[in-house]
CSV table of all heavy atoms in Angstrom, one decimal:
chain,number,residue,atom,x,y,z
A,1,LEU,N,-130.5,82.1,91.2
A,1,LEU,CA,-129.5,81.2,91.7
A,1,LEU,C,-130.0,79.8,91.8
A,1,LEU,O,-129.3,78.8,91.5
A,1,LEU,CB,-128.9,81.7,93.0
A,1,LEU,CG,-128.1,83.0,93.0
A,1,LEU,CD1,-127.7,83.4,94.4
A,1,LEU,CD2,-126.8,82.8,92.2
A,2,LYS,N,-131.2,79.6,92.3
A,2,LYS,CA,-131.8,78.3,92.4
A,2,LYS,C,-132.0,77.7,91.0
A,2,LYS,O,-131.8,76.5,90.8
A,2,LYS,CB,-133.2,78.4,93.1
A,2,LYS,CG,-133.0,78.6,94.6
A,2,LYS,CD,-134.4,78.7,95.2
A,2,LYS,CE,-134.3,79.2,96.6
A,2,LYS,NZ,-135.5,79.7,97.2
A,3,GLU,N,-132.4,78.5,90.0
A,3,GLU,CA,-132.5,78.0,88.6
A,3,GLU,C,-131.2,77.4,88.1
A,3,GLU,O,-131.2,76.5,87.3
A,3,GLU,CB,-132.9,79.1,87.7
A,3,GLU,CG,-134.4,79.5,87.7
A,3,GLU,CD,-134.6,80.8,86.9
A,3,GLU,OE1,-133.9,81.0,85.9
A,3,GLU,OE2,-135.6,81.5,87.2
A,4,LEU,N,-130.1,78.0,88.6
A,4,LEU,CA,-128.8,77.6,88.2
A,4,LEU,C,-128.3,76.4,89.1
A,4,LEU,O,-127.1,76.1,89.0
A,4,LEU,CB,-127.8,78.7,88.3
A,4,LEU,CG,-128.1,79.9,87.3
A,4,LEU,CD1,-127.2,81.1,87.7
A,4,LEU,CD2,-127.9,79.5,85.9
A,5,ASN,N,-129.2,75.9,89.9
A,5,ASN,CA,-128.8,74.8,90.9
A,5,ASN,C,-127.7,75.2,91.8
A,5,ASN,O,-126.9,74.4,92.1
A,5,ASN,CB,-128.5,73.5,90.1
A,5,ASN,CG,-129.7,72.9,89.4
A,5,ASN,OD1,-130.8,72.9,89.9
A,5,ASN,ND2,-129.5,72.4,88.2
A,6,PHE,N,-127.7,76.4,92.2
A,6,PHE,CA,-126.7,76.9,93.1
A,6,PHE,C,-127.3,77.0,94.5
A,6,PHE,O,-128.2,77.8,94.8
A,6,PHE,CB,-126.2,78.3,92.7
A,6,PHE,CG,-125.0,78.8,93.5
A,6,PHE,CD1,-123.7,78.3,93.3
A,6,PHE,CD2,-125.2,79.7,94.5
A,6,PHE,CE1,-122.7,78.7,94.0
A,6,PHE,CE2,-124.1,80.1,95.3
A,6,PHE,CZ,-122.9,79.7,95.0
A,7,LYS,N,-126.8,76.2,95.4
A,7,LYS,CA,-127.3,76.2,96.8
A,7,LYS,C,-126.8,77.4,97.6
A,7,LYS,O,-125.6,77.7,97.5
A,7,LYS,CB,-126.9,74.9,97.5
A,7,LYS,CG,-127.6,73.7,96.9
A,7,LYS,CD,-127.2,72.5,97.7
A,7,LYS,CE,-127.9,71.3,97.0
A,7,LYS,NZ,-127.8,70.1,97.7
A,8,HIS,N,-127.6,78.1,98.2
A,8,HIS,CA,-127.3,79.3,99.0
A,8,HIS,C,-128.3,79.5,100.1
A,8,HIS,O,-129.4,79.0,100.1
A,8,HIS,CB,-127.2,80.5,98.1
A,8,HIS,CG,-128.5,80.8,97.5
A,8,HIS,ND1,-129.0,80.1,96.4
A,8,HIS,CD2,-129.4,81.8,97.8
A,8,HIS,CE1,-130.2,80.6,96.1
A,8,HIS,NE2,-130.4,81.7,96.9
A,9,ASN,N,-127.9,80.3,101.0
A,9,ASN,CA,-128.7,80.7,102.2
A,9,ASN,C,-129.1,82.2,101.9
A,9,ASN,O,-128.3,83.0,101.6
A,9,ASN,CB,-127.9,80.6,103.4
A,9,ASN,CG,-128.6,81.1,104.7
A,9,ASN,OD1,-129.1,82.2,104.7
A,9,ASN,ND2,-128.6,80.2,105.7
A,10,GLN,N,-130.4,82.5,102.1
A,10,GLN,CA,-130.9,83.8,101.8
A,10,GLN,C,-130.2,84.9,102.6
A,10,GLN,O,-129.9,86.0,102.2
A,10,GLN,CB,-132.4,83.9,102.0
A,10,GLN,CG,-133.1,85.2,101.7
A,10,GLN,CD,-133.6,85.2,100.3
A,10,GLN,OE1,-133.6,84.3,99.6
A,10,GLN,NE2,-134.2,86.4,99.9
A,11,LYS,N,-130.0,84.6,103.9
A,11,LYS,CA,-129.3,85.6,104.8
A,11,LYS,C,-127.9,85.8,104.3
A,11,LYS,O,-127.4,87.0,104.4
A,11,LYS,CB,-129.3,85.0,106.2
A,11,LYS,CG,-128.9,86.1,107.3
A,11,LYS,CD,-128.8,85.5,108.6
A,11,LYS,CE,-130.2,85.2,109.3
A,11,LYS,NZ,-130.1,84.8,110.7
A,12,ASP,N,-127.2,84.8,103.9
A,12,ASP,CA,-125.8,84.9,103.4
A,12,ASP,C,-125.8,85.7,102.2
A,12,ASP,O,-124.9,86.6,101.9
A,12,ASP,CB,-125.1,83.6,103.2
A,12,ASP,CG,-124.9,82.8,104.5
A,12,ASP,OD1,-125.0,83.4,105.6
A,12,ASP,OD2,-124.6,81.6,104.4
A,13,LEU,N,-126.8,85.5,101.3
A,13,LEU,CA,-126.9,86.2,100.0
A,13,LEU,C,-127.0,87.7,100.3
A,13,LEU,O,-126.3,88.5,99.7
A,13,LEU,CB,-128.1,85.7,99.2
A,13,LEU,CG,-128.4,86.4,97.9
A,13,LEU,CD1,-127.2,86.2,97.0
A,13,LEU,CD2,-129.6,85.8,97.3
A,14,LEU,N,-127.9,88.1,101.2
A,14,LEU,CA,-128.1,89.5,101.6
A,14,LEU,C,-126.8,90.1,102.1
A,14,LEU,O,-126.4,91.2,101.7
A,14,LEU,CB,-129.2,89.7,102.6
A,14,LEU,CG,-129.4,91.1,103.0
A,14,LEU,CD1,-129.8,92.0,101.8
A,14,LEU,CD2,-130.5,91.1,104.1
A,15,PHE,N,-126.1,89.3,103.0
A,15,PHE,CA,-124.9,89.8,103.6
A,15,PHE,C,-123.8,90.1,102.5
A,15,PHE,O,-123.2,91.1,102.5
A,15,PHE,CB,-124.3,88.8,104.6
A,15,PHE,CG,-123.0,89.1,105.1
A,15,PHE,CD1,-122.8,90.1,106.1
A,15,PHE,CD2,-121.8,88.5,104.6
A,15,PHE,CE1,-121.6,90.4,106.6
A,15,PHE,CE2,-120.6,88.8,105.1
A,15,PHE,CZ,-120.4,89.8,106.1
A,16,ILE,N,-123.6,89.1,101.6
A,16,ILE,CA,-122.6,89.3,100.5
A,16,ILE,C,-123.0,90.4,99.6
A,16,ILE,O,-122.1,91.2,99.1
A,16,ILE,CB,-122.4,87.9,99.8
A,16,ILE,CG1,-121.7,87.0,100.8
A,16,ILE,CG2,-121.5,88.1,98.6
A,16,ILE,CD1,-121.7,85.5,100.4
A,17,VAL,N,-124.3,90.5,99.2
A,17,VAL,CA,-124.7,91.5,98.3
A,17,VAL,C,-124.5,92.9,98.9
A,17,VAL,O,-123.9,93.8,98.3
A,17,VAL,CB,-126.2,91.4,97.9
A,17,VAL,CG1,-126.8,92.6,97.3
A,17,VAL,CG2,-126.4,90.2,97.0
A,18,MET,N,-124.8,93.0,100.2
A,18,MET,CA,-124.6,94.3,100.9
A,18,MET,C,-123.1,94.6,101.0
A,18,MET,O,-122.7,95.8,100.8
A,18,MET,CB,-125.2,94.3,102.3
A,18,MET,CG,-126.7,94.4,102.3
A,18,MET,SD,-127.4,95.8,101.5
A,18,MET,CE,-126.7,97.1,102.5
A,19,HIS,N,-122.3,93.6,101.3
A,19,HIS,CA,-120.8,93.8,101.4
A,19,HIS,C,-120.3,94.3,100.1
A,19,HIS,O,-119.5,95.3,100.0
A,19,HIS,CB,-120.2,92.5,101.8
A,19,HIS,CG,-118.7,92.6,101.9
A,19,HIS,ND1,-118.0,93.3,102.9
A,19,HIS,CD2,-117.7,92.1,101.1
A,19,HIS,CE1,-116.7,93.2,102.7
A,19,HIS,NE2,-116.5,92.5,101.6
A,20,ASN,N,-120.7,93.7,99.0
A,20,ASN,CA,-120.2,94.1,97.7
A,20,ASN,C,-120.7,95.5,97.3
A,20,ASN,O,-120.0,96.3,96.7
A,20,ASN,CB,-120.6,93.1,96.6
A,20,ASN,CG,-119.9,91.8,96.7
A,20,ASN,OD1,-118.9,91.8,97.3
A,20,ASN,ND2,-120.4,90.8,96.0
A,21,TYR,N,-122.0,95.8,97.6
A,21,TYR,CA,-122.6,97.1,97.3
A,21,TYR,C,-121.8,98.2,98.1
A,21,TYR,O,-121.5,99.2,97.5
A,21,TYR,CB,-124.0,97.1,97.8
A,21,TYR,CG,-124.7,98.4,97.5
A,21,TYR,CD1,-125.2,98.7,96.3
A,21,TYR,CD2,-124.9,99.3,98.6
A,21,TYR,CE1,-125.9,99.9,96.1
A,21,TYR,CE2,-125.5,100.5,98.3
A,21,TYR,CZ,-126.0,100.8,97.1
A,21,TYR,OH,-126.6,102.0,96.9
A,22,ASN,N,-121.5,97.9,99.3
A,22,ASN,CA,-120.8,98.9,100.1
A,22,ASN,C,-119.4,99.1,99.7
A,22,ASN,O,-118.8,100.2,99.9
A,22,ASN,CB,-120.8,98.5,101.6
A,22,ASN,CG,-122.2,98.7,102.2
A,22,ASN,OD1,-122.9,99.7,101.8
A,22,ASN,ND2,-122.5,97.9,103.2
A,23,LYS,N,-118.8,98.1,99.0
A,23,LYS,CA,-117.4,98.3,98.4
A,23,LYS,C,-117.5,99.2,97.2
A,23,LYS,O,-116.5,99.9,97.0
A,23,LYS,CB,-116.8,96.9,98.0
A,23,LYS,CG,-116.2,96.2,99.2
A,23,LYS,CD,-115.4,95.0,98.7
A,23,LYS,CE,-116.1,94.0,97.9
A,23,LYS,NZ,-115.4,92.8,97.5
A,24,GLU,N,-118.5,99.1,96.4
A,24,GLU,CA,-118.6,99.8,95.2
A,24,GLU,C,-119.2,101.2,95.4
A,24,GLU,O,-118.8,102.1,94.6
A,24,GLU,CB,-119.5,99.1,94.2
A,24,GLU,CG,-118.9,97.8,93.6
A,24,GLU,CD,-119.7,97.2,92.5
A,24,GLU,OE1,-120.1,98.0,91.6
A,24,GLU,OE2,-119.9,96.0,92.5
A,25,PHE,N,-120.1,101.4,96.3
A,25,PHE,CA,-120.8,102.7,96.5
A,25,PHE,C,-120.6,103.2,97.9
A,25,PHE,O,-120.8,102.5,98.8
A,25,PHE,CB,-122.3,102.6,96.2
A,25,PHE,CG,-122.6,102.0,94.8
A,25,PHE,CD1,-122.8,100.6,94.6
A,25,PHE,CD2,-122.5,102.8,93.7
A,25,PHE,CE1,-123.1,100.1,93.4
A,25,PHE,CE2,-122.8,102.3,92.4
A,25,PHE,CZ,-123.1,100.9,92.3
A,26,THR,N,-120.3,104.5,98.0
A,26,THR,CA,-120.1,105.1,99.3
A,26,THR,C,-121.4,105.6,99.8
A,26,THR,O,-121.6,105.7,101.0
A,26,THR,CB,-119.1,106.3,99.2
A,26,THR,OG1,-119.5,107.2,98.2
A,26,THR,CG2,-117.7,105.8,98.9
A,27,HIS,N,-122.3,106.0,98.9
A,27,HIS,CA,-123.6,106.5,99.4
A,27,HIS,C,-124.7,105.5,99.1
A,27,HIS,O,-125.0,105.2,98.0
A,27,HIS,CB,-124.0,107.8,98.6
A,27,HIS,CG,-125.2,108.5,99.1
A,27,HIS,ND1,-125.4,108.9,100.4
A,27,HIS,CD2,-126.4,108.7,98.4
A,27,HIS,CE1,-126.6,109.4,100.5
A,27,HIS,NE2,-127.2,109.3,99.3
A,28,VAL,N,-125.2,104.9,100.2
A,28,VAL,CA,-126.2,103.9,100.1
A,28,VAL,C,-127.6,104.5,100.1
A,28,VAL,O,-128.0,105.2,101.1
A,28,VAL,CB,-126.1,102.8,101.2
A,28,VAL,CG1,-127.2,101.8,101.1
A,28,VAL,CG2,-124.7,102.2,101.2
A,29,THR,N,-128.4,104.2,99.1
A,29,THR,CA,-129.8,104.6,99.1
A,29,THR,C,-130.6,103.4,98.8
A,29,THR,O,-130.2,102.5,98.0
A,29,THR,CB,-130.1,105.7,98.1
A,29,THR,OG1,-130.0,105.2,96.8
A,29,THR,CG2,-129.2,106.9,98.2
A,30,PRO,N,-131.8,103.3,99.3
A,30,PRO,CA,-132.6,102.1,99.0
A,30,PRO,C,-132.9,101.9,97.6
A,30,PRO,O,-132.9,100.8,97.1
A,30,PRO,CB,-133.9,102.4,99.8
A,30,PRO,CG,-133.5,103.3,100.9
A,30,PRO,CD,-132.4,104.2,100.3
A,31,LEU,N,-133.1,103.0,96.8
A,31,LEU,CA,-133.4,102.8,95.4
A,31,LEU,C,-132.2,102.3,94.6
A,31,LEU,O,-132.3,101.5,93.8
A,31,LEU,CB,-133.9,104.2,94.8
A,31,LEU,CG,-134.4,104.1,93.4
A,31,LEU,CD1,-135.6,103.2,93.3
A,31,LEU,CD2,-134.9,105.5,92.9
A,32,ASN,N,-131.0,102.9,95.0
A,32,ASN,CA,-129.8,102.4,94.3
A,32,ASN,C,-129.5,100.9,94.6
A,32,ASN,O,-129.1,100.1,93.8
A,32,ASN,CB,-128.5,103.2,94.8
A,32,ASN,CG,-128.5,104.6,94.2
A,32,ASN,OD1,-129.3,104.9,93.3
A,32,ASN,ND2,-127.6,105.4,94.7
A,33,LEU,N,-129.8,100.5,95.9
A,33,LEU,CA,-129.6,99.1,96.3
A,33,LEU,C,-130.6,98.2,95.5
A,33,LEU,O,-130.2,97.2,95.0
A,33,LEU,CB,-129.8,98.9,97.8
A,33,LEU,CG,-129.7,97.5,98.3
A,33,LEU,CD1,-128.3,97.0,98.0
A,33,LEU,CD2,-130.0,97.5,99.8
A,34,TYR,N,-131.8,98.7,95.3
A,34,TYR,CA,-132.8,97.9,94.5
A,34,TYR,C,-132.3,97.7,93.1
A,34,TYR,O,-132.3,96.6,92.6
A,34,TYR,CB,-134.1,98.7,94.5
A,34,TYR,CG,-135.1,98.2,93.5
A,34,TYR,CD1,-135.8,97.0,93.7
A,34,TYR,CD2,-135.4,98.9,92.4
A,34,TYR,CE1,-136.7,96.5,92.7
A,34,TYR,CE2,-136.3,98.5,91.4
A,34,TYR,CZ,-136.9,97.3,91.6
A,34,TYR,OH,-137.8,96.8,90.7
A,35,HIS,N,-131.8,98.8,92.4
A,35,HIS,CA,-131.3,98.7,91.1
A,35,HIS,C,-130.0,97.8,91.0
A,35,HIS,O,-129.9,97.0,90.1
A,35,HIS,CB,-131.0,100.1,90.5
A,35,HIS,CG,-132.2,100.9,90.2
A,35,HIS,ND1,-133.2,100.4,89.3
A,35,HIS,CD2,-132.6,102.1,90.6
A,35,HIS,CE1,-134.2,101.3,89.3
A,35,HIS,NE2,-133.8,102.3,90.1
A,36,TYR,N,-129.2,97.9,92.0
A,36,TYR,CA,-128.0,97.1,92.1
A,36,TYR,C,-128.4,95.6,92.1
A,36,TYR,O,-127.8,94.8,91.4
A,36,TYR,CB,-127.2,97.5,93.3
A,36,TYR,CG,-125.9,96.6,93.5
A,36,TYR,CD1,-124.8,96.8,92.7
A,36,TYR,CD2,-125.9,95.7,94.5
A,36,TYR,CE1,-123.7,96.1,92.9
A,36,TYR,CE2,-124.7,94.9,94.7
A,36,TYR,CZ,-123.6,95.1,93.9
A,36,TYR,OH,-122.5,94.4,94.1
A,37,ILE,N,-129.3,95.2,93.0
A,37,ILE,CA,-129.7,93.8,93.1
A,37,ILE,C,-130.3,93.3,91.8
A,37,ILE,O,-130.0,92.2,91.4
A,37,ILE,CB,-130.7,93.6,94.3
A,37,ILE,CG1,-130.0,93.9,95.7
A,37,ILE,CG2,-131.3,92.2,94.3
A,37,ILE,CD1,-131.0,94.0,96.8
A,38,ASN,N,-131.2,94.1,91.2
A,38,ASN,CA,-131.8,93.8,89.9
A,38,ASN,C,-130.7,93.6,88.9
A,38,ASN,O,-130.8,92.7,88.0
A,38,ASN,CB,-132.8,94.8,89.5
A,38,ASN,CG,-134.2,94.5,90.0
A,38,ASN,OD1,-134.5,93.3,90.2
A,38,ASN,ND2,-135.0,95.5,90.1
A,39,GLY,N,-129.7,94.4,88.9
A,39,GLY,CA,-128.6,94.3,87.9
A,39,GLY,C,-127.8,93.0,88.0
A,39,GLY,O,-127.4,92.4,87.0
A,40,LEU,N,-127.7,92.5,89.3
A,40,LEU,CA,-126.9,91.3,89.5
A,40,LEU,C,-127.6,90.1,88.8
A,40,LEU,O,-127.0,89.2,88.3
A,40,LEU,CB,-126.8,91.0,91.0
A,40,LEU,CG,-125.9,91.8,91.8
A,40,LEU,CD1,-126.0,91.5,93.3
A,40,LEU,CD2,-124.5,91.6,91.4
A,41,LYS,N,-129.0,90.2,88.8
A,41,LYS,CA,-129.7,89.1,88.2
A,41,LYS,C,-129.4,88.9,86.7
A,41,LYS,O,-129.5,87.8,86.2
A,41,LYS,CB,-131.2,89.3,88.3
A,41,LYS,CG,-131.9,88.9,89.5
A,41,LYS,CD,-133.4,89.0,89.4
A,41,LYS,CE,-133.8,90.2,88.6
A,41,LYS,NZ,-135.0,90.8,89.1
A,42,ILE,N,-129.2,90.0,86.0
A,42,ILE,CA,-129.1,89.9,84.5
A,42,ILE,C,-127.7,90.0,84.0
A,42,ILE,O,-127.4,89.7,82.8
A,42,ILE,CB,-130.0,91.0,83.9
A,42,ILE,CG1,-129.5,92.4,84.4
A,42,ILE,CG2,-131.4,90.8,84.1
A,42,ILE,CD1,-130.2,93.5,83.7
A,43,ASP,N,-126.7,90.3,84.9
A,43,ASP,CA,-125.3,90.4,84.4
A,43,ASP,C,-124.6,89.1,84.8
A,43,ASP,O,-124.3,88.8,86.0
A,43,ASP,CB,-124.6,91.6,85.1
A,43,ASP,CG,-123.3,91.8,84.6
A,43,ASP,OD1,-122.5,90.8,84.4
A,43,ASP,OD2,-122.9,93.0,84.3
A,44,ARG,N,-124.3,88.3,83.8
A,44,ARG,CA,-123.8,86.9,84.1
A,44,ARG,C,-122.4,87.0,84.8
A,44,ARG,O,-122.1,86.2,85.6
A,44,ARG,CB,-123.7,86.2,82.7
A,44,ARG,CG,-123.3,84.7,82.9
A,44,ARG,CD,-124.3,84.0,83.7
A,44,ARG,NE,-123.7,82.7,84.1
A,44,ARG,CZ,-124.4,81.7,84.5
A,44,ARG,NH1,-125.7,81.8,84.6
A,44,ARG,NH2,-123.8,80.6,84.9
A,45,LYS,N,-121.6,88.0,84.4
A,45,LYS,CA,-120.3,88.1,85.0
A,45,LYS,C,-120.4,88.4,86.5
A,45,LYS,O,-119.8,87.7,87.4
A,45,LYS,CB,-119.5,89.2,84.3
A,45,LYS,CG,-118.1,89.4,84.9
A,45,LYS,CD,-117.4,90.5,84.2
A,45,LYS,CE,-116.1,90.9,85.0
A,45,LYS,NZ,-115.7,92.2,84.7
A,46,HIS,N,-121.3,89.3,86.9
A,46,HIS,CA,-121.5,89.7,88.3
A,46,HIS,C,-122.1,88.5,89.0
A,46,HIS,O,-121.8,88.3,90.2
A,46,HIS,CB,-122.3,90.9,88.4
A,46,HIS,CG,-121.6,92.2,88.1
A,46,HIS,ND1,-121.8,92.9,87.0
A,46,HIS,CD2,-120.5,92.8,88.8
A,46,HIS,CE1,-120.9,94.0,87.0
A,46,HIS,NE2,-120.2,93.9,88.1
A,47,LEU,N,-123.0,87.8,88.3
A,47,LEU,CA,-123.7,86.6,89.0
A,47,LEU,C,-122.7,85.5,89.3
A,47,LEU,O,-122.7,85.0,90.3
A,47,LEU,CB,-124.8,86.1,88.0
A,47,LEU,CG,-125.8,85.2,88.6
A,47,LEU,CD1,-126.5,85.9,89.8
A,47,LEU,CD2,-126.9,84.8,87.6
A,48,ASN,N,-121.7,85.3,88.3
A,48,ASN,CA,-120.7,84.3,88.5
A,48,ASN,C,-119.8,84.7,89.7
A,48,ASN,O,-119.4,83.9,90.5
A,48,ASN,CB,-119.8,84.1,87.3
A,48,ASN,CG,-120.6,83.3,86.2
A,48,ASN,OD1,-121.5,82.5,86.6
A,48,ASN,ND2,-120.2,83.4,85.0
């Protein structure tokens, strides 16, 4: 996000990522969350 010159707060980023993750998945596991966060980095639509 910083590379894209997008100002953000790390705590807010975690809150929003977790909120979105919980909307999409009913069963939260640490490994799934890890893959989800990594996926956000490379998917331009989700990043936008």
Side-chain angles (χ1 to χ4, degrees):
L1 292 172
K2 287 176 190 166
E3 283 174 25
L4 298 169
N5 292 320
F6 186 80
K7 292 184 182 186
H8 62 285
N9 176 308
Q10 183 97 2
K11 192 186 282 186
D12 293 345
L13 177 62
L14 177 62
F15 173 78
I16 292 167
V17 166
M18 287 303 298
H19 177 72
N20 290 343
Y21 179 83
N22 287 327
K23 278 194 300 189
E24 287 188 49
F25 303 98
T26 53
H27 183 60
V28 178
T29 69
L31 190 58
N32 287 350
L33 180 58
Y34 167 73
H35 289 302
Y36 177 75
I37 294 171
N38 269 333
L40 288 173
K41 272 190 325 215
I42 56 175
D43 187 318
R44 187 62 195 196
K45 180 182 169 202
H46 284 111
L47 198 56
N48 285 339

